[in-house]
Amino acid sequence: AQKVTQAQTEISVVEKEDVTLDCVYETRDTTYYLFWYKQPPSGELVFLIRRNSFDEQNEISGRYSWNFQKSTSSFNFTITASQVVDSAVYFCALSDAGSARQLTFGSGTQLTVLP
Amino acid sequence: DTAVSQTPKYLVTQMGNDKSIKCEQNLGHDTMYWYKQDSKKFLKIMFSYNNKELIINETVPNRFSPKSPDKAHLNLHINSLELGDSAVYFCASSLKGSANEKLFFGSGTQLSVL
C-alpha cells in the first residue's frame, strides 16, 4: 500500500526566509509519480509539480525547488525568499502504476508567511 | 472559462436531507473524481469514473451515489445526510486517468450538515 507522510503540520516563517516542506513516501512499485499541490486560503487545489521515479534530477522553478531522493524516499519542497502570497496548505501526493487513478495525498503542511 | 466547475460552492442543510453536488469539466478529459477533504484538511478519494464507467469506489457509505451522464459530468448525490458528512468535496479530472497525470480540481463545495 502506498503512503505519504508530511510530518510538519504547520510552519510559520517571516517573509524572505527560506522554508523547506518535507515529504516522505512509501510504495512497493518501482514506477511511481510524486506531486505537490498548493491550496491557498481561497480553497482551490493547484498543481505545482510532478516527478517520476526514474528522474531524480532536482528541479527549480523560480523561487520553488524540489529535491527528490529515492534513497530516503523523500520529495522535499523548498521556497526561497518566501512571500506572504506563499501562505497556503501544501500537499505532497503519490500515485503508482499499481493504483492508477488513485492519488494518495499526505496530510498537508500549513505554511504561514508573516510580513 | 473555468476548467472544472462544481456547484454549489456552499451547501448548508439539515440532517436527514438529500442533496446533490454537480460537476462539469470542459477539458475533454476522460476521467473524473470525487475527493473529500475533512476538517483536518485530509484529502481522500471517494470515486473515480473513466468514460462514464465507475473505476474506483472507496469505502464510502452507499448513501453516496455518483452519477456520470457523460464523460464531462460527474455528479454526487447524498441521501440521508449525517453530521459526519460535513466536509469540503472536490471534483477533479485528468486526461486518461493514468498514474502520471496531474489532476485539475474544481473549487470545492463546502457541505455543512446541521
Side-chain angles (χ1 to χ4, degrees):
Chain A
Q2 47 180 217
K3 184 179 178 182
V4 177
T5 302
Q6 294 179 256
Q8 304 151 308
T9 306
E10 296 181 18
I11 300 176
S12 282
V13 298
V14 177
E15 208 170 17
K16 298 184 183 176
E17 286 185 0
D18 299 347
V19 58
T20 295
L21 309 182
D22 297 333
C23 173
V24 174
Y25 62 91
E26 294 176 29
T27 177
R28 292 177 185 164
D29 279 12
T30 55
T31 301
Y32 53 89
Y33 304 89
L34 294 160
F35 302 79
W36 276 94
Y37 284 84
K38 174 182 180 180
Q39 186 175 36
S42 52
E44 75 275 18
L45 283 148
V46 179
F47 166 82
L48 293 178
I49 192 172
R50 169 187 53 218
R51 176 61 84 222
N52 73 57
S53 54
F54 299 108
D55 181 6
E56 285 196 74
Q57 198 169 12
N58 291 330
E59 181 158 340
I60 298 174
S61 175
R63 296 184 298 106
Y64 294 173
S65 62
W66 290 269
N67 182 2
F68 175 32
Q69 291 196 338
K70 288 177 75 169
S71 60
T72 55
S73 297
S74 64
F75 186 42
N76 297 337
F77 173 29
T78 297
I79 302 175
T80 303
S82 59
Q83 299 176 1
V84 173
V85 293
D86 296 326
S87 296
V89 181
Y90 291 87
F91 291 94
C92 182
L94 165 73
S95 67
D96 55 36
S99 60
R101 305 187 180 98
Q102 187 164 354
L103 194 60
T104 298
F105 284 87
S107 54
T109 297
Q110 170 74 63
L111 173 65
T112 302
V113 181
L114 303 169
Chain B
D1 276 347
T2 304
V4 181
S5 59
Q6 53 181 110
T7 55
K9 188 165 177 63
Y10 300 98
L11 189 51
V12 181
T13 188
Q14 298 284 336
M15 210 165 47
N17 285 350
D18 302 339
K19 290 294 179 184
S20 292
I21 306 172
K22 295 185 176 181
C23 179
E24 175 182 3
Q25 54 95 2
N26 63 4
L27 298 167
H29 288 171
D30 286 349
T31 307
M32 296 185 72
Y33 313 78
W34 279 108
Y35 277 82
K36 178 180 179 180
Q37 185 173 44
D38 64 22
S39 58
K40 295 184 178 179
K41 298 287 189 180
F42 186 65
L43 275 158
K44 186 169 170 51
I45 190 166
M46 301 173 69
F47 302 103
S48 171
Y49 270 73
N50 188 55
N51 264 319
K52 304 192 297 177
E53 179 186 348
L54 181 64
I55 300 298
I56 293 174
N57 183 353
E58 286 297 296
T59 50
V60 176
N62 57 16
R63 298 182 295 101
F64 290 78
S65 53
K67 284 187 172 53
S68 183
D70 55 62
K71 74 174 192 176
H73 295 83
L74 180 61
N75 304 322
L76 183 65
H77 188 76
I78 315 169
N79 289 327
S80 303
L81 278 155
E82 300 178 357
L83 295 177
D85 297 331
S86 296
V88 181
Y89 292 85
F90 284 97
C91 177
S93 73
S94 66
L95 184 59
K96 295 289 182 187
S98 299
N100 65 336
E101 292 170 358
K102 65 180 181 181
L103 268 58
F104 292 78
F105 284 87
S107 56
T109 296
Q110 171 82 60
L111 172 64
S112 299
V113 182
L114 307 177

